[in-house]
Amino acid sequence: EYVEASGDPVSGEAVYRRDNLLCMTCHAIGGAGGTLGPDFTSIGASAPVDYLIDSLLQPQKQIKEGYHVVMITKKDGTVAAGKLASENDTTVTLQDPADQLIEIPKSTIASQEMSPVSLMPPGLTQSLRKDEFADLIKFMSRLGKEGDFKVGSERYIRTIQSLDDKGGDQGYADMVRHKPMKFVTTDDPRLIWRPSYSKTNGDIPLEDLPQVRGQGREFLHFIRFQLNAKTPGNSILKFNDAEGLHVFVGGAKVELVSDDTLINLKPGLNQLTVAVPVTNRSNQILRIEVLDAPSDSAQIQVVYGK
């Protein structure tokens, strides 16, 4: 009753996105996020509020089918635990709490059993005030229902990586600042990229992303994402606001950037990088939608996941 009367789903989404709660690390919305826990895209349309409350406060009370912890004891005495990812005649593959896949030959297994313990550790929501917890539940209860928290058919960019500022480390900042902007499109191991995700409606809040100093006094957000060209060709990146953006496909800079930016993609995975100026930009929300180019046969998929 308190959730229904007082919960605010907008504030609840902000709670959901807090790094310390690890929601996005283990759960996906619209394909963006982890796969260790159940997908939340339509959980509000299928699960009542009391179930959602129990799931967060007592995660071991009712574990969804397919998300139990499997405990494997090997013949050498070592133990592996995680979600059962796959199994065949010779191998069992577990997805561990760190989201890593562990392949275990069946010939090395002494015993295999299902644990009553949930993959979600208890107490993750202990830091929340009552109103914050109610907001979080209200947000989850709206997912999948008609309205602002239903994932539509639009091909929004939802899974991104943002260039870290390494805590303001001056040497790191100077390395980026003294290089051409194209440098951030390389696989230089000194560059640190962090996973991030859009909101349910496709918005990427720029205020959540690190700021990295570019040349001169300019500060920028750098983000990158992937598109999979099943059939290569032209596509369109539709920005809600292209003001000041720099766009790179691979290492090639797109010279003409507008709200509807034409790009050309090679077969397979294409990495795209967008530099967003911090100063003199009025809109602090970035939304990117992938559209088909007119009279082009390209088949383009947005890469989601973690």
Side-chain angles (χ1 to χ4, degrees):
E1 291 175 354
Y2 180 79
V3 168
E4 293 295 346
S6 304
D8 176 16
V10 175
S11 298
E13 183 166 22
V15 173
Y16 176 87
R17 292 174 61 82
R18 292 181 186 175
D19 290 340
N20 66 314
L21 292 185
L22 303 176
C23 300
M24 294 182 291
T25 301
C26 295
H27 302 276
I29 295 177
T35 59
L36 193 61
D39 188 288
F40 281 172
T41 302
S42 59
I43 192 168
S46 60
V49 169
D50 57 346
Y51 173 86
L52 297 176
I53 294 172
D54 276 350
S55 296
L56 295 189
L57 296 182
Q58 304 178 73
Q60 75 288 345
K61 183 176 178 180
Q62 187 173 345
I63 302 172
K64 187 174 181 179
E65 186 67 29
Y67 292 92
H68 290 81
V69 174
V70 174
M71 302 284 294
I72 291 180
T73 302
K74 300 181 185 179
K75 293 176 181 177
D76 63 5
T78 59
V79 176
K83 184 181 77 172
L84 182 63
S86 63
E87 183 176 3
N88 57 35
D89 293 339
T90 59
T91 306
V92 175
T93 302
L94 300 182
Q95 186 177 6
D96 71 9
D99 212 8
Q100 302 297 314
L101 293 178
I102 306 171
E103 291 189 355
I104 305 171
K106 285 189 172 180
S107 60
T108 67
I109 296 176
S111 66
Q112 178 177 332
E113 60 183 357
M114 189 177 295
S115 168
V117 177
S118 170
L119 284 165
M120 178 178 169
L124 279 181
T125 59
Q126 280 185 340
S127 63
L128 300 181
R129 302 188 308 265
K130 181 180 178 180
D131 61 306
E132 292 175 323
F133 183 79
D135 292 343
L136 175 59
I137 296 295
K138 190 61 172 286
F139 164 67
M140 294 176 64
S141 73
R142 295 281 297 276
L143 288 170
K145 295 179 180 177
E146 292 299 330
D148 296 336
F149 300 96
K150 183 175 182 179
V151 174
S153 59
E154 300 90 350
R155 287 181 292 170
Y156 288 133
I157 301 301
R158 297 184 177 275
T159 299
I160 65 170
Q161 290 183 317
S162 58
L163 185 64
D164 199 356
D165 64 354
K166 204 177 178 181
D169 180 271
Q170 191 60 49
Y172 181 82
D174 287 343
M175 175 189 71
V176 176
R177 182 164 62 95
H178 293 149
K179 300 279 189 180
M181 189 179 291
K182 181 180 176 180
F183 172 63
V184 301
T185 70
T186 69
D187 292 325
D188 193 297
R190 294 173 295 176
L191 295 173
I192 300 173
W193 295 88
R194 305 293 188 193
S196 189
Y197 308 96
S198 76
K199 297 172 68 175
T200 308
N201 64 0
D203 287 353
I204 301 170
L206 297 176
E207 62 184 6
D208 293 349
L209 306 181
Q211 301 179 12
V212 180
R213 186 171 180 179
Q215 295 182 348
R217 297 188 176 184
E218 185 178 36
F219 282 83
L220 304 115
H221 305 289
F222 289 99
I223 69 171
R224 68 183 186 183
F225 55 91
Q226 290 184 323
L227 297 177
N228 185 16
K230 293 289 190 179
T231 304
N234 292 321
S235 186
I236 293 174
L237 295 182
K238 184 176 182 61
F239 297 101
N240 64 314
D241 183 357
E243 178 185 5
L245 298 185
H246 304 272
V247 179
F248 296 84
V249 179
K253 186 174 183 179
V254 178
E255 295 301 330
L256 184 60
V257 177
S258 64
D259 287 355
D260 296 298
T261 298
L262 185 68
I263 57 173
N264 184 264
L265 301 175
K266 65 181 182 181
L269 288 178
N270 292 258
Q271 183 163 278
L272 289 87
T273 306
V274 179
V276 187
V278 174
T279 53
N280 300 322
R281 180 179 169 85
S282 56
N283 197 338
Q284 291 304 304
I285 293 293
L286 183 65
R287 187 170 58 253
I288 311 171
E289 184 180 0
V290 178
L291 301 176
D292 294 330
S295 303
D296 197 291
S297 60
Q299 295 182 345
I300 310 302
Q301 293 180 339
V302 179
V303 177
Y304 297 113
K306 191 176 177 182

